[in-house]
Amino acid sequence: MLDREGFRPNVGIILLNANNEVWWGKRVREHSWQFPQGGIKHGETPEQAMFRELEEEIGLRAEHVKIIGRTRDWLRYEVPDHFIKREVRGHYRGQKQIWFLLRMVGRDCDVNLRGTSHPEFDAWRWHDYWVPLDVVIEFKREVYQQALQELSRFLNRAGQGARRHEPTARALPAHKKPAASGLPPNAAPAPEPK
């Protein structure tokens, strides 16, 4: 489902812990890290899509999170042609996203990356709020900056303040994850469209 300009309606999710660190996931079999995101299906509201994607991608349900805020309007990014599937080139330009800022009220152990037969992520960690701007794929950097900036106004009232320390990594058992791990300096892109 594309709009007239070739953008697919989508939601992005920034999930905070009690220290205002953000949830950061590693895409399955890739060296690419990103926030959870996904398409809005026909008939869904952005909020319904966000809760569906949250459960599909990281196994959290509505009772595990609290909505702190959302972007006022759509934020857009264009996908370079060489990342677009051949059959949709010329029609598909990229994503338009409503971003949600959520507070985790559940526990880390509630995260389940294997909740579906087609998992999106195979590892995750908590990171300082602004770190994703340094490592996200270049064509998503501006939309990440817009989302993080707009939603940062909720941080003071949302939590107990940010504390700085090393990120906490979570991953699948070694036999279920790819050999390469860690956060590379130049993360590879996720396949589009998702």
Side-chain angles (χ1 to χ4, degrees):
M1 178 172 83
L2 301 177
D3 69 11
R4 287 184 219 161
E5 297 172 326
F7 289 92
R8 182 174 183 237
N10 194 279
V11 292
I13 301 168
I14 300 171
L15 176 64
L16 298 171
N17 66 12
N19 297 320
N20 282 341
E21 294 169 316
V22 293
W23 192 98
W24 193 232
K26 181 184 164 298
R27 304 245 338 150
V28 170
R29 293 180 298 279
E30 295 181 27
H31 300 287
S32 176
W33 291 73
Q34 69 175 51
F35 291 131
Q37 70 176 55
I40 299 173
K41 294 181 178 179
H42 183 71
E44 274 186 323
T45 66
E47 187 173 312
Q48 290 168 332
M50 179 272 296
F51 280 120
R52 179 182 48 75
E53 289 292 336
L54 185 70
E55 186 165 3
E56 288 175 6
E57 293 194 357
I58 63 177
L60 296 179
R61 296 184 303 276
E63 63 263 22
H64 296 127
V65 298
K66 177 181 176 186
I67 298 175
I68 303 300
R70 62 167 269 180
T71 54
R72 293 179 189 97
D73 204 356
W74 298 101
L75 304 180
R76 290 172 172 77
Y77 68 86
E78 292 192 24
V79 176
D81 280 344
H82 59 281
F83 293 126
I84 299 175
K85 293 178 183 174
R86 207 172 289 147
E87 62 269 16
V88 294
R89 279 190 194 147
H91 304 287
Y92 174 77
R93 287 180 58 194
Q95 309 274 16
K96 67 177 189 179
Q97 300 175 310
I98 296 292
W99 282 84
F100 288 87
L101 182 67
L102 307 178
R103 169 75 61 205
M104 177 97 149
V105 295
R107 299 170 299 166
D108 285 3
C109 63
D110 293 324
V111 173
N112 177 9
L113 302 182
R114 292 287 184 184
T116 68
S117 59
H118 299 289
E120 296 283 332
F121 301 106
D122 59 18
W124 69 277
R125 62 181 62 181
W126 293 111
H127 259 304
D128 288 333
Y129 188 80
W130 298 104
V131 165
L133 291 179
D134 296 331
V135 292
V136 71
I137 186 73
E138 182 66 32
F139 68 85
K140 290 185 180 182
R141 188 162 293 141
E142 186 175 338
V143 80
Y144 270 49
Q145 182 169 355
Q146 291 170 339
L148 287 164
Q149 183 66 46
E150 182 176 341
L151 296 170
S152 69
R153 72 183 191 272
F154 295 106
L155 291 181
N156 288 342
R157 57 187 138 149
Q160 304 159 343
R163 287 183 241 152
R164 292 201 174 272
H165 58 79
E166 289 299 308
T168 305
R170 303 283 184 261
L172 294 174
H175 69 282
K176 290 190 177 186
K177 67 179 180 179
S181 63
L183 187 61
N186 296 316
E192 292 291 336
K194 165 59 184 120

